[in-house]
Amino acid sequence: MAVFSFLSPFYVAIICLLIVIILQSKKKGKGGEKSEIESKAESRPWVDEDLQDSTDLVVEGDEEKDERIGIEEENILHIPFSPPRYSEQEMVKRSKEFYELLNQRRSVRFISDDPVPKEVIDNIIRAAGTSPSGAHTEPWTFVVVQDPEHKHKIREIIEEEEEINYRKRMGDKWLNDLKPLRTNWVKEYLDTAPFLILIFKQVYGILSSNRKKTHYYNEISVSIACGILLAAIQNAGLVTVTTTPLNCGPRLRLLLERPVNEKLLMLLPVGYPSKDATVPDLKRKPLEDLMVVF
């Protein structure tokens, strides 16, 4: 008994030491798993991560350069607003016709080089510019490219990155999901389409004093503008395919000499469909799968 009581503190110390070692090893294991997950997340080539495009952006925390100010106080006049009010029959007719027009919209990857009047492009961008935006900051820039040399440089940049995307970055699941659409990294339409419209979101505004102006909900605002732009393209009898050039944003921004506060959101080749154009025979969800009514 004397020997046991003498050794008890020793055994207690050993047990405590072992417990500490076990807990530390578990903590390290969890830390290793977390870092592995984080590293996988960082390597995922999702478009929203690509759109972060932090190239040459001002470092946060620099109060002198990163001063954000609100919208300037302006004495904006509020005026009467009286849009036309249609009869119920006319409303049903107009809404049905508009739906039928947009229901014909398809993503077309075979675009003719037939010329399109520049005035049409001007008008559809004017239509996109009517989009609502956070605090009416209008945080969008529509870059219209019609110069063949610039179009080809854009194609080279995109195809270079897209080949890497398809071969290495996208993964089997993504590629399998794309198989029915028969897409690949070759983007011939970037050369043949009469116009390329690159839509940039302005993350913040730059005032004449070089101070920053807050652009509220800039990505949502520009996304809404893109939706109106797609409707305007369809209304004009033209076609396009919505593309989000993965991992190309910074290079395209530099090529088109856009300022550091702008990030590429979407690229639309615009023109007539080629004579041999085809599209997948896809079906859209019925109304009951789109809408919930309470």
Side-chain angles (χ1 to χ4, degrees):
M1 292 293 294
V3 174
F4 180 77
S5 61
F6 173 78
L7 294 177
S8 292
F10 175 76
Y11 284 118
V12 170
I14 293 296
I15 292 171
C16 290
L17 181 62
L18 289 173
I19 291 174
V20 170
I21 293 172
I22 292 170
L23 289 175
Q24 286 182 343
S25 64
K26 284 186 177 181
K27 188 178 291 186
K28 287 181 180 179
K30 288 182 179 179
E33 290 175 4
K34 183 177 179 181
S35 62
E36 184 179 352
I37 292 171
E38 287 176 349
S39 65
K40 286 182 179 178
E42 290 174 0
S43 66
R44 288 170 59 189
W46 299 115
V47 174
D48 56 354
E49 292 181 5
D50 178 55
L51 290 173
Q52 289 176 6
D53 179 11
S54 59
T55 310
D56 296 333
L57 288 180
V58 178
V59 177
E60 293 289 337
D62 188 338
E63 295 180 359
E64 183 177 349
K65 296 181 180 179
D66 192 38
E67 181 180 359
R68 288 179 169 82
I69 68 172
I71 297 177
E72 301 88 341
E73 293 184 4
E74 296 182 18
N75 188 20
I76 298 177
L77 180 67
H78 284 225
I79 59 176
F81 179 64
S82 299
R85 181 165 179 169
Y86 305 107
S87 67
E88 290 187 7
Q89 183 179 1
E90 180 66 13
M91 289 170 63
V92 171
K93 177 177 178 292
R94 291 171 65 91
S95 61
K96 183 180 180 183
E97 288 175 349
F98 188 68
Y99 158 68
E100 290 174 345
L101 171 68
L102 293 191
N103 194 38
Q104 297 170 30
R105 189 208 59 78
R106 300 300 303 269
S107 295
V108 179
R109 294 172 173 82
F110 305 96
I111 300 179
S112 167
D113 60 0
D114 292 345
V116 171
K118 175 61 165 52
E119 186 177 0
V120 174
I121 303 300
D122 294 345
N123 287 335
I124 64 175
I125 290 180
R126 284 192 181 101
T130 67
S131 174
S133 60
H136 193 59
T137 50
E138 302 177 293
W140 40 66
T141 302
F142 300 91
V143 178
V144 177
V145 180
Q146 56 183 334
D147 172 59
E149 184 177 347
H150 274 82
K151 288 195 296 182
H152 190 67
K153 286 180 179 178
I154 290 171
R155 179 181 178 180
E156 288 180 333
I157 291 172
I158 291 178
E159 287 188 342
E160 178 183 333
E161 290 293 339
E162 279 286 82
E163 183 173 4
I164 299 173
N165 293 333
Y166 273 82
R167 291 187 182 277
K168 297 181 179 180
R169 295 176 180 141
M170 294 167 71
D172 293 339
K173 184 180 185 304
W174 195 342
L175 293 177
N176 286 333
D177 289 342
L178 289 175
K179 276 185 179 179
L181 304 180
R182 301 180 187 174
T183 63
N184 55 43
W185 61 82
V186 179
K187 314 292 182 184
E188 185 178 352
Y189 52 75
L190 295 174
D191 271 326
T192 61
F195 293 98
L196 305 181
I197 302 177
L198 291 90
I199 302 97
F200 287 82
K201 65 174 184 178
Q202 300 170 8
V203 181
Y204 54 86
I206 301 178
L207 302 174
S208 56
S209 60
N210 286 329
R211 291 187 299 176
K212 290 184 177 182
K213 176 180 178 180
T214 303
H215 280 177
Y216 307 96
Y217 301 107
N218 56 78
E219 184 159 337
I220 295 174
S221 300
V222 181
S223 297
I224 295 171
C226 289
I228 295 176
L229 180 60
L230 290 172
I233 291 171
Q234 179 68 17
N235 183 62
L238 301 173
V239 299
T240 187
V241 54
T242 54
T243 65
T244 49
L246 188 61
N247 298 312
C248 301
R251 293 173 65 187
L252 293 177
R253 180 175 67 79
L254 293 175
L255 173 67
L256 299 173
E257 301 178 359
R258 301 313 308 154
V260 296
N261 63 316
E262 295 187 1
K263 297 179 184 179
L264 182 64
L265 184 70
M266 190 176 296
L267 185 155
L268 301 177
V270 180
Y272 299 103
S274 61
K275 293 180 180 179
D276 57 350
T278 61
V279 295
D281 187 18
L282 303 176
K283 307 299 179 185
R284 292 190 168 97
K285 293 180 178 180
L287 181 62
E288 56 269 23
D289 289 345
L290 298 175
M291 183 172 65
V292 177
V293 180
F294 287 92

